[in-house]
Structures are given as C-alpha cells and as structure tokens.
Amino acid sequence: MDAPVTQPADPDTLAPPSSIALLGNPNVGKTTLFNRLCALRQKTSNFPGTTQEARLGWVALAGDTETCLIDLPGVYSLELDLSESKLCRRVLDGTTIPPGAAPPDAQVIVVDAANLIRNLVIAGQALRRRMPSLVVVNMIDSARRRGVHVDAPALSECLGVPVVLVSARSGEGFNALRAAMLRPEIPSRTPPESLDELERWADEVYALVGSAPESSRRDRLTDRLDRAFTHPVLGVGLFALIMTGLFWVIFRLAAYPMDWIDMIFATLGGAAESLLPAGILRDLLVDGVIAGVGATLIFLPQICLLFFLISLLEDTGYLARAAFVIDRLLRPFGLSGHAFVPLLSSHACALPGIMAARAVPDRRDRLATILVAPFMSCTARIPVYVLLTTLLFPERPAMQAVAFTGCYALGILAGLISSLVARRTILRGASRPMALELPTYRAPSLRTALLTTYDRAKVFVRKAGTMILAISIVLWWMGEYPHTEPPQQSIELREQASAIDPAEAGAALELTDEADRLEARHSARYSFLGRLGEGLSPVFAPLGYDRQLTIGVLASFAAREVFVTTMAVQVVGTDDDGEGVFDALKGARRDDGSPVFTASTSWSLLVYYVLAMQCLPTLVVTAREAGGARWAFLQLAWMCGLAYILALIVRQTLLAMGVA
Amino acid sequence: MVSQTVTDDRVSLTQLPRGGRGRVSGSTLDPKDAQILRAMGIRPDAQLEICRMGEPCIVCVQGSNGSTCRIGLSRRLAERVLVSPSG
Ligand SMILES: Nc1nc2c(ncn2[C@@H]2O[C@H](COP(=O)(O)OP(=O)(O)OP(=O)(O)O)[C@@H](O)[C@H]2O)c(=O)[nH]1
Ligand SMILES: [Mg+2]
C-alpha cells in the first residue's frame, strides 16, 4: 500500500486540513454527520448504500477558513473490486476528486458504535494509508440504549489517532468533533496489512475497548419482525398492505388541500377577470398564468405526501427486508432484490432511482434496472393520472382509486416484462444472488422527512413558477395569435341576433353565445398552436387524440406535469366561467364540437402516459449511468414504441366494443 | 473463503436450525462473492446465529459478543457458506 506521508506527527504544527474525506461502512451515518456539519440536506436513509456519489460540503471549523468535506459512498472494504470501493480509493489517493474539491489531506473514519468489530476492519485499512486521521464513533445514542459501551481513550490508544464519540442525529459530541477535525493526526500505530491479521487485530482491539451485553429482548423483537417481513407469504401480504396504506393516505389526505388550491386559483381567475379591464393583459393573466400555474400547483399536496411517507418508510429500516420479499418476485424477470430501492425511488422520480441503481453490484442486473426504472410511475405522472381517472369516473372516488392504482401496476408490469425481454436478448445471464445488510430498526426522523418534503416541494413550486409558467405563457400566446377573421357562420348568427326583436332578449343571447363559441373555436384552430396541433395530429389520430391533445402530449416531452397545464391553457381560453381545472377540462370540445375526453381516448391517453418515455433528464442520466447514449436511445424507442402500440390497442378495442 | 483443514462437522449454513449457531469455517462461493461476504462480516471464525432459515436466510453476525450486525442472504449464497455448528 502506498504511504506518501511519513513524517512523524506533531499535532501542534499541523495546519488545519483544507479538505477532509468522510469514509466508513455503509449506513453508519456519514451523510447525517456531513449534513449536520455543513448544514446541507443530502439524502440519508436507513438502508445501506444510500450515497452513491462523492458529495461536497463546506464547514468553517475555525474562524473563516472553510474546510471542504467529501462525503463518500459507504463501503465494506476499501480493497474490493466494486465501483464504490474504487471511488473511495481514488478520492483518498487524490487521483479522481470531485470537481471543486481539493485532494483530501485528512480523513474522518466514521464507525458505528453498535457494530464496532466489523467497522474496525475498514478503519484499519484506512489508517494504513497514514493520512492525518480522526475516528468518529457515531450512533452513541442508540449504542447506549442497547447497553453497548465504547471506551474512547482506549480506542484512541489502540488506533494511534484521536477518537470522538458523537451522535450525528442528535448533535451530541459535535463541539468535540469540530475541535478534533482541526487536528487530525497521522496514526502513531500501523494496523497489519493482510486481511487475516487485520481481522484478528480488529478482534483484539474490540476486546480492549468495547463491551456489550448478550443479545437482548430488543434483538428478539427484531428477529420476529425480520421473520415476518421476509416471510414468503406473510411478507408479501405485509408489503402489499404497507404500499396500499401509503397510496390510500396519499389519495385521501391530498384530496382536501387539492380542493382548496383548485378553489383558490378559480377565485383568483374570477377576481382577475372582474377587476381587470378586458384585453390582452387580462387574457394573459387569466388564461395563461393563472390557469397554467394553477393546473400544476394543484398536485403539490400529493407529491409532498408521497415524498414525506417514503422518507419515513426509508428511515425505519423496513426497506432492506422488503428487498428480500421483492427479490423473490423480481427474480423470474431477471432483476434482483437490489433493484428494489432503485425501482421504489423511481416512483418518486426516475433520476434518483437510476442513480440508486449504482448499488446493484452485478453489471447486467444494473443495466436491466436502469432500463426499466422509468416505467415506474413518477410523481410527474400523478397529475395526468388524477385528471384522467377523475374524468373517467366522475363522482366515484373508489373507481378512481382503482384506476389510479392500475396505472402504477401497469407501469410495474411493463417494467418487469421489459426486463425479461432484455435479459433474454441483450443482457443474457442469470441475476446474481443477493446479500444485503439488514439495518437496525429505527424510529423514523420526522425532521428528515419534513425537510425532504420541503425541499421537494420547493423544487416543484420553482418548476411551476419558472418552466411551467414560461410554457403556459408561450402556449397561451401561440393559442391566441394570429387573430383571425371570424367565421362566416358566426357573422351570420350575430346578424340574426341583432335582427331579433329586443323583447326576445333570451333568444338573441343564445345566438350570440353560439357565435362566441364558434369564434373561440375558430381562432383556437387557426392560431399557431392550432395549426401546429393540426399538422401533427395525424400521428396521434389513431390513438384518438385531436389537435389539443396532440399539443398536450408533445408539450409533455418538456415535462410530463405540463400536460394538465397545456390542456388547461388551451381549454380555458375558449370557454371560461371561472370553474376549477377539472370542470373546465371535462367540458373540453373538439373542433367538431364532440367531447375531447371520451372514454376510449382517456383510456388510451392513460396507457400512453404510463408507458411513454417523456423525460429528457432521465435519458441523460441513463446514458451516463449505463455508460453510453445507445442505452438511452434504446430506452426512448422501446418505451415510446410500447406506449404507442398499447394505447392504440386499447383505443381500438374499446371502439370495437362500442365504448365511445 | 478460507481453506482450512477439513473437519467432519462442517455443514452448510442452510442446514443449521433456526436459532442455531455456528462458526464460519469455509465456503464454496466464487471468490468475488466470498470477498464481499467476508467484508460484510461473514468471515472465517465469525460466530453466526440463524434468525431465519430458507429464502432469504438471515444471520446475525456476533462478534465476540453482542454486536448487532444482521445480514440477509439468498439461499444460493447461504448454502455455500460452511459452518461448524456450536451450541
Ligand atoms: N440513532 C441514530 N441514528 C443515526 C445517527 N446517525 C445517523 N443515523 C441514522 O442512520 C441512518 C443512516 O444514515 P446515513 O447518514 O444515510 O448513513 P450513511 O453512512 O451516509 O449511509 P450510506 O450512504 O449508505 O453509506 C439514517 O436512518 C440516520 O437517520 C445517530 O447518531 N443516531
Ligand atoms: Mg450516505
């Protein structure tokens, strides 16, 4: 092993480090520690392998000088031939450092107080690098509760570097930690090199510094829970129950704030309508901005709830157990239980999901996971699902929920079958058997969950306020211009109306109303947007989409959330009475006056949105993580092709069955 | 994992009963899996206790005493880990 630094350590002459690497076993709380020190909110969860990339943060340890902290992925050994181990080695060697960081001139080795023996092995490996070091014994709160005792001075003596005891979750011991981070020391002892000796060394050190009671009642409870959660039948049942509960809560609880938001925007639109003088500004505000942004923001509650609940669930430690249940279900499709967390996170967003696939150790398993992850229904699809299920089953929440769940099921099924196809063709071979550490069960951290939710909500609102706002305005403008001459028919209607005896005002009003509607439809149709939709609609006509839906589908390639917004902007512009989004869209009409959202069209749209790849950022990440643009192209072609074909089949079958 | 003198009492991990204990005394895993499991704590002479048999097999790796590392293993891995039953 290389040992670049050989000078004897004199702590008083060492300058404070300018860059410190954080390393250790998975799930020992490195990221929690990092977040607390740097006031950041990188993802943490009670699952081994949460961090997959080196992350940077800055902390002022003394005065104004900022020290760079590098949070590394957790590894079981620095010497393994795995991508995370390689990454750690390269960062410690200074050969590959994350952009913006200096090569680390010190390391902080984080170990779990309740699992010291194994953690000592990696500590030994790291200390052999003879870098200025500090050992942080984390989770002393939970160790204490278990009756595990760690003798810090003795440990420091054995390792030859300073040792501090902390709890990254509560912040206990952080003053001492900051002080110690200013003076990491080059180890005054060298752990043995060979793995056999290193393991013996770890045992000897532990015997001197640690003591723990024989397994407690707590462990027996853990045993029981583990057996229940991983049971072939009971485990699947519990998993189904937990997931159903999750979605039920999301569906039911979100309904209230959604109604309020809908009402607020409808009122806003109405107020703007009555307060502002008629004209372009009012149209822009009411039809473009308020309708467009409102149609997106209405989904904020569901998205927040989803992130909140998943974060709570991740923190309990249940997911590692569920991974084994799912392993059994995934294996026939050529995926392993390692794919579970990537696929679950993809239900929030495919980007972190695909990133999490780095934790899948086998290359072909990993590629299969990456390819099918975007089939999982991400939060960006929620708006479309909600809209279409509401239109399909008005006033029948139970059926809406069933159809909504069906969308998720369809996405998962399509992913599984796609994986099977891939494993039979381009990714031949059996998937690797799974070994996974089962973390200690923990009460979830409400703080982490709330902060995660807040962050995700902020991202969503920002997106609504920038990109979606911009798209709304552009679409509104394209839908409004160029102004066209009114159609002959409406001119005639207006003439008839003015000819009617003033005593029969009702009849006249009816005629002018009809003329208004004709004109609105006419101008929408001959606007830029209308012509564009008209020109492209032959592509989607077999699926039953008219020009407005075609625009909606195309705009979704910028972001799926935009669909509802796009439809709202197109529809509200033609016919507004200050109603909510759903009511307005229910009444949407084609150019020939027939409804846009017929049952067969809605079903085919739903299928299309479940399956189609409409997310550019996902394609970029797929190309990067899978190691080549061809994987991204494959994903795009496969998903869109499948979506088109299945949507076509659904539509034609429904038509043949006589459904409108 | 380790090439030790063959003793007669070695059995596969899957043959231990629930609650049974054994000391890791070898394996027929392929080297890469063996390395990973060893790094995870299933190393020569480690004391294992079976929490759940079958698929998956759940073992508690007990250091000298009481430490709490639990590992879930696919049956395909577990049956290739050899242990000497103890108590
Ligand atoms: N009780 C307790 N829990 C902690 C402490 N520090 C972290 N945790 C929890 O431990 C779990 C893992 O924390 P992370 O910070 O994600 O661990 P990590 O080392 O970054 O994990 P990887 O990125 O997977 O290597 C989370 O559920 C934390 O809430 C602590 O001091 N006490
Ligand atoms: Mg981490």
Side-chain angles (χ1 to χ4, degrees):
Chain A
M1 216 183 286
D2 39 16
V5 192
T6 46
Q7 277 177 0
D10 177 3
D12 289 335
T13 61
L14 282 174
S18 63
S19 171
I20 303 179
L22 280 178
L23 68 139
N25 276 172
N27 212 38
V28 296
K30 297 176 294 300
T31 305
T32 312
L33 188 97
F34 170 86
N35 283 347
R36 186 172 278 278
L37 282 170
C38 305
L40 287 177
R41 298 195 205 132
Q42 295 295 350
K43 183 174 171 68
T44 67
S45 79
N46 194 8
F47 187 92
T50 307
T51 308
Q52 290 292 332
E53 261 189 324
R55 292 294 167 102
L56 298 187
W58 276 265
V59 52
L61 292 170
D64 294 338
T65 46
E66 298 241 298
T67 301
C68 173
L69 277 191
I70 308 174
D71 182 26
L72 291 171
V75 288
Y76 288 110
S77 159
L78 283 175
E79 315 299 339
L80 289 179
D81 183 29
L82 291 176
S83 65
E84 307 95 280
S85 293
K86 278 185 215 148
L87 177 78
C88 287
R89 287 201 295 270
R90 284 202 302 263
V91 170
L92 289 176
D93 292 341
T95 45
T96 318
I97 42 165
D105 46 15
Q107 59 183 355
V108 166
I109 303 160
V110 185
V111 299
D112 174 357
N115 192 5
L116 207 49
I117 300 189
R118 190 189 63 201
N119 281 256
L120 281 171
V121 175
I122 192 173
Q125 287 175 340
L127 290 176
R128 280 191 57 80
R129 299 184 158 250
R130 304 202 54 73
M131 241 185 179
S133 308
L134 167 68
V135 168
V136 174
V137 181
N138 190 24
M139 312 236 187
I140 48 159
D141 54 330
S142 66
R144 205 179 291 131
R145 272 200 305 278
R146 306 182 61 95
V148 176
H149 177 77
V150 177
D151 182 345
L155 184 58
S156 170
E157 177 61 35
C158 290
L159 302 181
V161 291
V163 170
V164 284
L165 306 182
V166 305
S167 163
R169 202 181 224 189
S170 71
E172 180 182 348
F174 265 57
N175 287 336
L177 172 65
R178 280 166 205 277
M181 282 173 72
L182 282 172
R183 311 178 179 284
E185 289 174 24
I186 294 174
S188 59
R189 292 160 180 269
T190 310
E193 180 170 10
S194 87
L195 190 53
D196 287 324
E197 283 175 60
L198 196 61
E199 286 169 349
R200 219 167 301 132
W201 169 84
D203 284 340
E204 284 161 15
V205 171
Y206 183 75
L208 293 174
V209 305
S211 66
E214 265 298 311
S215 54
S216 58
R217 193 178 320 131
R218 221 187 150 82
D219 289 327
R220 287 200 292 281
L221 177 65
T222 306
D223 276 352
R224 282 220 189 94
L225 287 176
D226 279 358
R227 280 199 288 269
F229 285 141
T230 58
H231 190 274
V233 180
L234 186 60
V236 175
L238 286 170
F239 178 76
L241 200 70
I242 290 173
M243 289 299 147
T244 315
L246 193 88
F247 281 101
W248 187 84
V249 170
I250 292 173
F251 217 73
R252 287 318 286 267
L253 282 192
Y256 302 100
M258 282 174 76
D259 283 348
W260 304 332
I261 297 178
D262 200 18
M263 223 162 61
I264 291 173
F265 275 92
T267 318
L268 266 179
E273 190 120 273
S274 55
L275 290 180
L276 293 173
I280 168 166
L281 183 67
R282 187 178 89 175
D283 287 352
L284 170 66
L285 213 63
V286 176
D287 304 339
V289 176
I290 296 179
V293 173
T296 300
L297 280 187
I298 187 171
F299 299 102
L300 185 62
Q302 271 175 337
I303 287 162
C304 285
L305 269 172
L306 184 76
F307 279 107
F308 180 73
L309 294 177
I310 287 191
S311 172
L312 285 185
L313 196 62
E314 281 175 342
D315 240 5
T316 58
Y318 168 69
L319 294 190
R321 279 77 182 178
F324 278 98
V325 172
I326 297 304
D327 183 62
R328 226 176 282 130
L329 306 179
L330 291 184
R331 210 154 275 284
F333 299 96
L335 290 166
S336 84
H338 284 294
F340 170 61
V341 166
L343 295 185
L344 183 74
S345 339
S346 297
H347 281 99
C349 172
L351 299 183
I354 291 176
M355 286 299 301
R358 285 191 184 188
V360 180
D362 182 68
R363 179 176 163 271
R364 278 175 306 200
D365 287 358
R366 185 167 59 243
L367 283 173
T369 310
I370 293 174
L371 281 181
V372 306
F375 273 119
M376 307 302 122
S377 297
C378 61
T379 45
R381 286 166 170 117
I382 289 182
V384 186
Y385 292 0
V386 173
L387 171 71
L388 293 173
T389 52
T390 314
L391 293 178
L392 276 168
F393 300 105
E395 314 297 331
R396 286 161 70 194
M399 283 309 291
Q400 286 170 21
V402 170
F404 191 81
T405 317
C407 293
Y408 280 79
L410 177 64
I412 294 169
L413 194 70
L416 292 180
I417 290 173
S418 304
S419 159
L420 189 65
V421 171
R423 293 310 294 249
R424 289 281 161 84
T425 52
I426 46 173
L427 298 169
R428 275 169 195 279
S431 63
R432 280 264 292 261
M434 186 161 80
L436 187 66
E437 185 172 357
L438 302 178
T440 319
Y441 289 109
R442 254 188 221 118
S445 154
L446 201 61
R447 183 170 177 272
T448 309
L450 286 174
L451 289 177
T452 308
T453 311
Y454 173 74
D455 285 344
R456 301 307 303 212
K458 222 165 57 181
V459 170
F460 185 78
V461 171
R462 191 180 303 142
K463 204 168 176 186
T466 53
M467 186 171 97
I468 293 179
L469 178 65
I471 292 180
S472 307
I473 293 176
V474 170
L475 285 176
W476 167 83
W477 182 82
M478 286 177 67
E480 199 75 356
Y481 291 90
H483 282 309
T484 42
E485 289 297 312
Q488 195 54 42
Q489 210 183 344
S490 81
I491 297 174
E492 281 167 13
L493 280 174
R494 281 190 202 288
E495 277 166 3
Q496 282 174 28
S498 54
I500 284 179
D501 189 339
E504 293 179 60
L509 207 60
E510 232 163 68
L511 288 176
T512 45
D513 270 0
E514 179 59 26
D516 283 350
R517 226 166 289 144
L518 274 175
E519 275 165 27
R521 215 172 283 147
H522 181 84
S523 75
R525 180 165 179 188
Y526 292 101
S527 65
F528 293 125
L529 197 63
R531 286 178 207 190
L532 185 69
E534 198 74 50
L536 293 169
S537 63
V539 181
F540 289 102
L543 308 187
Y545 311 163
D546 74 330
R547 61 168 175 80
Q548 301 173 70
L549 284 176
T550 301
I551 293 292
V553 169
L554 290 178
S556 298
F557 279 91
R560 290 186 181 93
E561 299 95 317
V562 166
F563 177 74
V564 183
T565 299
T566 318
M567 295 312 292
V569 171
Q570 296 186 81
V571 170
V572 172
T574 59
D575 172 29
D576 42 23
D577 315 308
E579 1 166 58
V581 183
F582 292 116
D583 294 326
L585 286 178
K586 200 162 25 185
R589 298 275 152 189
R590 289 169 194 251
D591 293 329
D592 60 12
S594 64
V596 169
F597 292 100
T598 60
S600 61
T601 306
S602 299
W603 280 116
S604 117
L605 258 181
L606 208 49
V607 169
Y608 187 83
Y609 270 87
V610 171
L611 301 175
M613 161 49 75
Q614 299 169 296
C615 178
L616 190 63
T618 301
L619 290 173
V620 174
V621 174
T622 294
R624 194 184 69 204
E625 294 297 309
R630 63 206 163 99
W631 295 105
F633 281 120
L634 178 67
Q635 196 173 48
L636 177 69
W638 173 253
M639 291 182 69
C640 287
L642 196 65
Y644 192 91
I645 292 171
L646 280 184
L648 183 68
I649 293 175
V650 164
R651 155 102 172 149
Q652 298 305 334
T653 315
L654 285 175
L655 284 183
M657 282 164 50
V659 180
Chain B
M1 200 170 286
V2 275
S3 48
Q4 263 189 355
T5 49
V6 180
T7 45
D8 296 326
D9 61 343
R10 295 203 298 180
V11 296
S12 139
L13 192 54
T14 44
Q15 283 166 283
L16 285 184
R18 186 169 116 186
R21 292 178 182 214
R23 231 165 235 294
V24 178
S25 53
S27 87
T28 54
L29 290 164
D30 76 65
K32 196 170 174 186
D33 287 333
Q35 262 186 351
I36 295 177
L37 287 198
R38 182 169 182 176
M40 290 175 86
I42 303 188
R43 63 191 214 202
D45 273 343
Q47 174 89 38
L48 304 185
E49 187 181 320
I50 307 290
C51 156
R52 180 181 195 283
M53 308 185 301
E55 178 78 279
C57 170
I58 298 178
V59 295
C60 298
V61 184
Q62 314 238 302
S64 43
N65 58 357
S67 88
T68 54
C69 164
R70 272 163 194 271
I71 292 173
L73 296 171
S74 289
R75 180 195 281 274
R76 275 196 286 164
L77 290 174
E79 62 195 7
R80 288 165 166 268
V81 175
L82 302 179
V83 292
S84 312
S86 59

